[in-house]
Amino acid sequence: PQSQFFGITQDREGYLWLGTKGGGIVRFDGNTFTPFFAQSNIAFVNKIEQAGNRIFIAHTFGYAYYDQSKRELIQPNHSINQKKAPVSIILPLPKDSILISTTKNVYIGTIDNPVRIDFNIQEDDYVPGCAYYWNGKIYLGNNYGVHVISYRNGRIGIEKIDQKQGLKTKAVRAFLDYNNELYIGTYGGGLYIYNGNTIRPFHHPLISEKEIVQVMYKGSRNDVWIGTNNCIIKHSANNN
């Protein structure tokens, strides 16, 4: 149904869900592609995630989620959707909470009513890159390094990982939990590993300190696939 895919996730039944640019979301059962909402305002998908029986969708005009049990698309009556703000990141969190990032703001809270939080970043300069939930905290990568967000009982705390901690570049584009450490892919600064306290560069002959690392995937054999602007490599902690 579409040749441009900007997101992929897998539900509890094993179906793959794909986010497309212009064709809505698509379910793949191993044989057949079934499109959903290709003619709606969620046709242009930026990100797609799964949690429980919901498929969460970040799209050009806001955010929505598809309730698989009810077979219903829900578009919350939130200011994000009212203003048709483009959503680039959507991250399901524990206890039916969610993180949403537009091109200007970040929101955290309940699925239907997330609240805007202040990063003290000039809105015109904010460029969201990626978000990840690791060890009870939210890691948000952007052009200013990594913001580490604690969210408990409605209270929000913010820390930062940047050049002071050893992250030589500010532009962060990917995260992956691997062997109880957080791998951090950057735009033009290579790959880093964070253990919760200290950060160190990842060394590999095919990944330079100026590499663009925008995608990582953990395989079933406890290895990790790392995609860069020049190649894709398979890394195993046993060979590190």
Side-chain angles (χ1 to χ4, degrees):
Q2 252 287 337
S3 60
Q4 292 182 302
F5 295 94
F6 280 71
I8 183 169
T9 191
Q10 188 173 31
D11 66 21
R12 294 182 298 183
E13 296 179 359
Y15 293 113
L16 291 180
W17 291 82
L18 314 171
T20 76
K21 281 294 183 184
I25 61 175
V26 178
R27 188 184 69 187
F28 181 58
D29 63 5
N31 295 299
T32 305
F33 290 94
T34 304
F36 290 73
F37 319 117
Q39 304 302 320
S40 71
N41 65 343
I42 72 162
F44 291 85
V45 178
N46 296 322
K47 188 75 173 177
I48 185 170
E49 296 285 353
Q50 181 273 340
N53 62 352
R54 301 185 182 104
I55 305 296
F56 293 90
I57 306 151
H59 59 87
T60 304
F61 302 107
Y63 78 102
Y65 59 92
Y66 177 62
D67 190 316
Q68 292 179 274
S69 61
K70 298 179 180 178
R71 297 184 179 181
E72 179 182 3
L73 178 69
I74 299 172
Q75 303 189 67
N77 184 27
H78 191 278
S79 60
I80 295 173
N81 290 332
Q82 293 169 3
K83 296 176 181 178
K84 297 184 178 180
V87 173
S88 55
I89 293 174
I90 191 163
L91 178 68
L93 301 171
K95 299 181 179 180
D96 278 341
S97 297
I98 198 168
L99 177 142
I100 293 174
S101 179
T102 69
T103 54
K104 295 184 180 296
N105 297 302
V106 176
Y107 301 79
I108 297 178
T110 61
I111 294 171
D112 293 316
N113 191 32
V115 177
R116 180 181 179 273
I117 62 176
D118 187 7
F119 280 92
N120 296 318
I121 294 177
Q122 294 182 4
E123 290 186 353
D124 291 342
D125 294 333
Y126 174 68
V127 180
C130 52
Y132 203 79
Y133 186 76
W134 183 68
N135 280 0
K137 295 182 179 180
I138 304 162
Y139 289 76
L140 183 66
N142 51 51
N143 281 357
Y144 289 81
V146 180
H147 286 87
V148 185
I149 306 170
S150 302
Y151 177 71
R152 292 186 180 90
N153 300 321
R155 295 184 178 182
I156 296 173
I158 302 174
E159 306 169 57
K160 195 173 182 182
I161 301 174
D162 55 19
Q163 293 172 323
K164 293 180 181 179
Q165 286 77 31
L167 190 65
K168 294 182 180 180
T169 182
K170 292 182 178 180
V172 173
R173 292 294 179 266
F175 295 112
L176 183 70
D177 177 9
Y178 184 58
N179 281 3
N180 298 316
E181 295 184 306
L182 187 65
Y183 280 48
I184 304 174
T186 72
Y187 190 90
L191 182 62
Y192 292 83
I193 301 174
Y194 180 63
N195 64 10
N197 295 300
T198 60
I199 191 167
R200 66 186 188 274
F202 173 87
H203 296 292
H204 190 281
L206 295 179
I207 299 181
S208 73
E209 292 183 354
K210 297 183 179 180
E211 208 77 33
I212 298 173
V213 179
Q214 295 200 105
V215 61
M216 294 181 284
Y217 178 78
K218 184 161 59 177
S220 59
R221 297 182 179 180
N222 198 34
D223 47 28
V224 57
W225 294 86
I226 303 167
T228 77
N229 55 314
N230 290 313
C231 65
I232 184 169
I233 68 167
K234 183 173 76 169
H235 164 70
S236 173
N238 296 330
N239 298 326
N240 193 14

